Each structure stands twice: as structure tokens, then as C-alpha cells.
Amino acid sequence: MITHRSYTVEPWAVRETELNLDVLAQSESVFALSNGHVGWRGNLDEGEPHGLPGSYLNGVHEVHPLPYAEAGYGYPESGQTVINVTNGKILRLLVDDEPFDLRYGRLVAHERVLDLRRGVLERTVEWTSPAGSTVRVRSTRLVSLTQRAVAAVGYEVEAVGRRSRVVIQSELVANEQLPGSNGDPRAAMALQSPLEREDDLAVGNRLRLVHRTRRSGLRVAVAADHVVTGPERTTTRSESGGDVARLTVTSVLEPGQTLRVEKLVAHGWSGTRSLPAMADQVDAALAAAAHDGWQGLLDSQRAHLDDFWSGADVEVDGDEEIQQAVRFALFHVLQAGARAEQRAIPAKGLTGSGYDGHAFWDTEMFVLPVLTHTAPEAVAEALRWRYNTLDEARERATQLGLGGAAFPWRTIQGAEGSAYWPAGTAAFHVNADIADAVVRYVEATGDTRFEREAGVELLVETARLWRSLGHHDHRGAFHIDGVTGPDEYSAVADDNTYTNLMARQNLLAAADAVERHPREAERLGVDAEESAAWRDAAEAVHIPYNDELGVHEQHAGFTRYQRWDFTHTRPEQYPLLLNFPYFDLYRKQVVKQADLVLAMYTCGDRFDEEQVARNFAYYEPLTVRDSSLSACCQAVVAAQAGHLRLAYDYTAEAALMDLQDLEHNTRDGLHIASLAGTWMALVAGFGGLRRDGEGLRFAPRLPERLRRLAFGLQFRGRRLRVEIGADKTTYALLDGEPLTLHHHGEALRVSTDEPAVRSVPPVSPRPDPEQPLHRAPNAG
């Protein structure tokens, strides 16, 4: 997209300078606005043309039967799919009785700007109707980061050249017609008109619709209020019925005169609250928004983002595209989780319906690490959502004959939503990923209240699963068999190294947590024997290693498999899962996404530098990156192994995944984890950031293309700024008590009075590893 001549590269904005219908759906994802609770795709204000209409409320979904050729015990019976809720962003326009439709007449000018500092989408259009009337339209849209239920649009029409009769129809619309689905027809049927009308209202400038989902039984309320400014004799009329509520504003504009509508929209949903309660809820949210007014919403949005950017900004000198991309990434990651408040952070955020709106392990391992150091309050809320779904996870574990809790591979409301068990049920590593996020958050914030109220129980129940899933052999080694690691091309394997090492961390963390919190341990029935069993299993966990090759195995026996025939695999046959049977993939040495390589990042203390170098050199030629989650992980470990140019190329791939639509599916929503991976590649890759208990470790080095990299972090109530140049790094504490950190192994003490400056050691040269044929980094 951004390589098209109508998209510009700017440090603080994404700007579209002309309308391109061929990438309209992609632009709707890029220009989406959200706060983690409400999501509005970047559809045109008038509603049409569109690629994929989208208005979402986090957690609002419909259920549908899951398809099975042959049923089996333990298979989930129903799936969950995000639905398009009542659309409150539509403002249709008629000019001298002709619909304002950019497919007709003459489009004189069209520009949209996603302003990353102000948190708004702005649009300017000049259009001449088929009959020759010309108008200029300006709009500004926001989804409030400070008022969770509220979104708003300022829409202004100006007559150009001659007198024009203008009609604006501001609407709430439910059950919009959606494009046909390429997926399961049963899911598609569930999404056809999923909302049943319960109530509608149109009084003065106030509109409201209340609906209920047909199967999941969720009540959705959306209301709107308006401030209209125009010439004398401007009139308004409101009406409602069924799936539409409408305010019609009519005026006659002389050249240069404007008609302006400020539309405030409030959203709410519940599975338990009554219809009157939901109507009152959205009316109250509108009252709060009206109290601040349009300008107040703009001001509070800017203030919120000023505070965010002051501690989270990443500055990149030497590559303008990556500079723009990392800020775009941080903005969308913030939007995905800022006000989710005990709801999931889906893989697409609230930018589209891809992956059915499900949350995966992506959240804990890619998104939450970024938010932990930039917006930690959002992390606590995301983990409390996992805590609130513990009952479903315990029930799933019991169904599988296991102890503790088995968290789902993909879900919206806590139940397993995957119909494919090798990549779903067998991917037990999601348990350890959640535990890792708990430990990371508590270490970075010192939030002992969260640990006591939710963290301990999450750690205990995930540890119990590992102890029941694994077993000790006759020599005492602890094995976890029949699991699927991050690489879904190696399913149902024994002793996946990533899974085993992450389970090890999970078991030790649980044992440590119950020692710190004996009351919680007693409440959960954890005794000294159980805690000791966790430690025994952790210390005895088996990590498969090939002594002959001198590398760790991705799982037991992986290195003896036949290598995939990359030579005879054509470029158009990627991704492999769409062109080859899983049976063939499962028994070959081919890696969908970083697995053992990811383990070297997340469990770095279990690998020395030589092992990192040898492992990376072995797995790099096998990794095809048929997942958007891979490039950022490979960037991090490539940088650690000294392959800085390769790390740079992988960073660019992660950064431009959506802005250049590298996987050709941005139309379905943004890849939030890959966006988060842009930060990971820069901060953990070139910055060398690693966790160190109650401290931080850095090993900064820059590739030749970058002159300077600077980033901010929050840690233990402090704000730290790190600035990396070609030959030196400066660590500056912006506020808080003095902090001890490590620079390439050297302990440093930094305070607000005195930054620490250290030189950057040179990189030890190593031969560059090769990638599979046709699968070199895609930097756009």
C-alpha cells in the first residue's frame, strides 16, 4: 500500500493523497480507530463504497456449530465469531438530490490522514456531482481513549461555486450487508443478520437502537446525539424503526457556507443486563461525552497520547519507513488494549474480522511485552481477562483428563474455538505463555496486589497442568509428550524445546509465588509436597539435543527427519499449508514460524552465545515464515547472533507487514502481533533488551543502515530512555529512584542526576546463514 504513489512516508502520520478503490479494504484496516472496547474500521463516512464494513465491540460474538467430518471425544462443539455490531459512523450525504458517491461524478481531491499524535482520522474531499454541483467535505473521527464507550465524528460540508441544497443523513444501522465469506458456510449463516431488534428511539437529535444476538444472547445498545450548525432555516428530523435510526439534516448552502454535524456515539453490551439498563447505560455515556463536547474529546485524546508518547516513543534515524512503521505499530497496539478492561486482545485487535475475532497466544507473547513497558495498566486488565476465564480452562482440563487449567488455543469468551486439535488442543504452550506474561508484568511493575489477587492462581493452575501432562522416566528426566509448539508444521511431537523450557519457567514461577503468598497457596490447596513436585519437574525437564550436529532439537527426533525439498517448491506454493497436506509437513524438517529460535529469546538463560549462533544457523534455512509472527523473532535472535543486516531485513518485514500488505490479507484486519513485533525487533533486537528478574539487561548494537535508535521504557515506577549510536549508548533515567541495569554484562547505576554512557563493542563476524529458496526476508 504505502509504496503506492498515493501514500506518503511521514514520521507521525499515515497519509492517503487519493482514493484507490483497489486497496479500499486494506486502507479501512490501516485507518481503523479503536480503544480496545469499541472498534471502527476506516470506512468512508458515507458508508459506501466499502471493502468490509466494520463496527466492533470487544467480546460481542455469535456462536455457530463447528464442522467435523468425524466427531471425536473432547472436540469443541461450537465456535465463536466476532460480529459487526450497530454502525454509528455513517453520515450519508445528498447534494441537490444526488447521493454523494465517489464512484460517480468527478472526484477533484481526496485525502485521509491518520494522525498518530492526536489519535484522529481526518478526511478532506472535493467532489463534483454528475449534475455539476461541487462540495468540499471535511471530517474528523475519533474513538476515545479516555471515555471507553464513546466515539465521535465531526462532519462538515461546504458549497463550492454555486448554491446547493444539502441533506445529511446521520444513521445508526444494524445488520449491514457484508461481503460473502470464504470460510465455513455454517459460520457465514450465523453471521447473516445476527442482531434481533429489541428497541429503537428517535427523539429530537437523539437516536438509539438496542438489539440482541440470536444465539449467544448478548444485548447491544448504541446511541447517538448530535450538534448541528448551519445557515438559517436548517432543519432536522429524526425517525427510527427496525434496524435503522436516522437524523436527517437539511440546509441550503450559498458558496462558502458550511453545514456541520458533530455526532457523539455511545456503545454498550452485556450478557446479563436488562434492556432498560442498557438503554440507560448508553444514554449516560452520551451525557458524559456531551459534557466535554467535541473539542473536549479532541483535547483529552491529545493529552492521553502526549502522555503515552512521552514514555513510549521509538526514534529511528536512517530509515524513514521504519520510523513511520514503528509509531504506526505502537499506536495500533495501544488502541488494541488501552480500554479492553478484562476483555481479550484479539489477533486483529478491533480492526477487522480476520481469525473470527479470536485471541491467541499472540497476546501474551508479542503484544503484552510491548504494553508492559509502555502502558502497563492495559496488561493487568488483559491478564485479568484470562483469570476470569479460569473456570472454562479448568473445565477443559478436566475434559482432557488433566489437572489444573487448559487455556484455549483460540477464543473470544474463554471456551476453545479451534476445530483442529493438533494446532489447538495440543498447543498447550499457551498455558506457559500466559504464566510468562504474569511473571513479566509483576517483575516490571512490582504490582503485588495483582499477583496476590490473580497472578498466583494463574501460575498455580497452569503449573498443575504441566505436572499432570508430563511424566518422569526411569532415569528421572521429565518429559512432555504429544504437544504442538509454536511451529505448527511440527504437530503432536514429544519434548518440544520451547514448550518444555517455558513449562520449566512456569513451574518454578508457581513454586516461588506460593512461597511469597502462603495464604493464597492455602486457599488453592497447594502444600509443600505439590510445590516441591513442581520444582523437581522443572529441574529435570528434558531438552533434546543433537550431540553430533551440536544443536538443540526443536523437538525430540526433529533433526533426523528428512529435509523439506525446497528446491522443487515453487514461490506460489507458499504458504505451504495451503498447498501441501499437513501429513507431509509434520514429518519433514520445515518450520512454519520461529520455535526453537523463539525459545532462545524467551528462555535465553538456557543457551550460551555459541549455542545461539549454531542453533540459529541450523534453523534459519528451514524456516519459511508462513506466519506473520516469525520475522520479528528471527530479527531478535539474528541481532543477538551478530547478523545485524539480516536482523534489519527481518525488522523491516515485521514493520511493513500491514503498511505494505505483505501477506495480502490486511483487508481482514491488522496483524497486531506483528506490529508489536516491530517494537520487539528494535528494542529487544538492536537494543538487546532482556529480563533480569528485578532488573534489565541490554546488549545494544546497530546495523549499518541505522544511525541512531532511541526508545523509552517504564520499569518499576521509573521511566528510562535509551539512546543507541554506532559506537556508544546512553542510559538516562527520566524519573524515579536510581536503577541498576546491565550493559553487555556490565552493571550500571543510573539516576535522574547522571546518565550512564558506555561504548558499544564490535560484533564478532560470522558467516551469514541462508534462507529457504524463495523465502528471503520480504522488506517490501
Side-chain angles (χ1 to χ4, degrees), residues 238-256:
S238 60
E239 57 189 323
S240 66
D243 289 340
V244 179
R246 179 183 299 116
L247 175 73
T248 301
V249 183
T250 305
S251 190
V252 176
L253 302 180
E254 301 293 339

Side-chain angles (χ1 to χ4, degrees), residues 344-417:
I345 298 179
K348 295 289 188 180
L350 298 179
T351 67
S353 56
Y355 299 125
D356 289 322
H358 288 184
F360 297 76
W361 69 295
D362 310 17
T363 299
E364 283 77 21
M365 295 310 295
F366 295 85
V367 179
L368 296 193
V370 180
L371 293 174
T372 294
H373 292 294
T374 59
E377 62 283 350
V379 178
E381 294 297 315
L383 291 173
R384 286 187 186 277
W385 168 71
R386 288 291 193 184
Y387 175 75
N388 291 339
T389 65
L390 261 171
D391 285 345
E392 289 90 343
R394 289 190 188 99
E395 182 179 346
R396 180 65 170 156
T398 299
Q399 186 181 37
L400 298 173
L402 299 170
F407 281 97
W409 173 242
R410 57 186 299 168
T411 190
I412 293 177
Q413 45 68 272
E416 178 61 72

Side-chain angles (χ1 to χ4, degrees), residues 282-297:
V282 291
D283 284 351
L286 276 183
H291 181 269
D292 286 356
W294 171 253
Q295 189 60 49
L297 288 172

Side-chain angles (χ1 to χ4, degrees), residues 607-639:
F607 303 89
D608 63 34
E609 291 301 315
E610 284 305 312
Q611 289 173 334
V612 169
R614 289 196 304 271
N615 287 339
F616 187 78
Y618 185 87
Y619 287 93
E620 182 69 2
L622 304 176
T623 305
V624 295
R625 299 187 329 285
D626 283 349
S627 164
S628 62
L629 301 180
S630 196
C632 60
C633 305
Q634 290 171 266
V636 170
V637 181

